[in-house]
Amino acid sequence: MLSGFKEFIMKGNVMDLAVAVIIGAAFSKIVNALVESVLMPAISAVVGSPNFDTFAVVTLRGNELKFGVLLTAVVNFLLIAAAVYFCIVLPMNKMIERRNRRMGIEPTAEPADPNTVLLTEIRDALAGNPAAPGAEGRHSGPAV
């Protein structure tokens, strides 16, 4: 029983996931600092308030529906996603592309999915496309 647990823990996937969670937790502090200290103050300078919690509050039978809280969460998500993409992903991709060009590594094309190729051939054959494999001898006009 313990050997099975040890084998499970030592699998590469579990260790990679653990490292990813730890790095993600540490990295989230950087992203939160960027959003809370740079982006949200910039938005508040333009809009007037970085927090939309009191933007749309509706009272229904004594209960408050706070649509502004949802709006704040959506704006925060979009800001975090934009910050991660434009400040980390995009520069990292450019850096990798530049390094690969410098080292003479050509980007490899992804091989086509066999299912997609087969479905494309079937579609073309059904449409009467003469360029489709197996479409020879067919015609799309009425039978004579």
Side-chain angles (χ1 to χ4, degrees):
M1 181 163 87
L2 288 178
S3 65
F5 178 72
K6 181 181 175 185
E7 184 180 322
F8 169 73
I9 291 298
M10 291 304 185
K11 283 185 180 177
N13 300 4
V14 174
M15 298 307 281
D16 290 343
L17 182 61
V19 169
V21 167
I22 292 168
I23 294 296
F27 188 71
S28 71
K29 292 180 182 180
I30 295 171
V31 173
N32 286 337
L34 176 66
V35 170
E36 293 172 4
S37 300
V38 177
L39 297 177
M40 289 306 273
I43 288 176
S44 68
V46 173
V47 177
S49 173
N51 188 334
F52 304 110
D53 290 352
T54 59
F55 177 66
V57 178
V58 177
T59 304
L60 181 66
R61 295 186 182 180
N63 297 310
E64 287 185 339
L65 303 174
K66 299 178 181 179
F67 294 104
V69 174
L70 176 63
L71 181 61
T72 299
V74 169
V75 168
N76 285 342
F77 170 77
L78 292 174
L79 287 174
I80 289 171
V84 167
Y85 180 74
F86 289 110
C87 296
I88 296 155
V89 174
L90 195 62
M92 185 66 73
N93 287 344
K94 294 290 184 186
M95 184 180 71
I96 291 170
E97 181 182 312
R98 208 173 315 127
R99 182 197 66 194
N100 288 346
R101 254 195 330 253
R102 187 177 67 237
M103 295 178 71
I105 300 172
E106 295 295 323
T108 58
E110 291 287 324
D113 181 26
N115 293 330
T116 304
V117 172
L118 180 62
L119 288 172
T120 303
E121 289 175 4
I122 293 170
R123 180 203 61 205
D124 292 344
L126 289 173
N129 186 349
E136 300 85 24
R138 283 186 237 220
H139 56 78
S140 58
V144 185

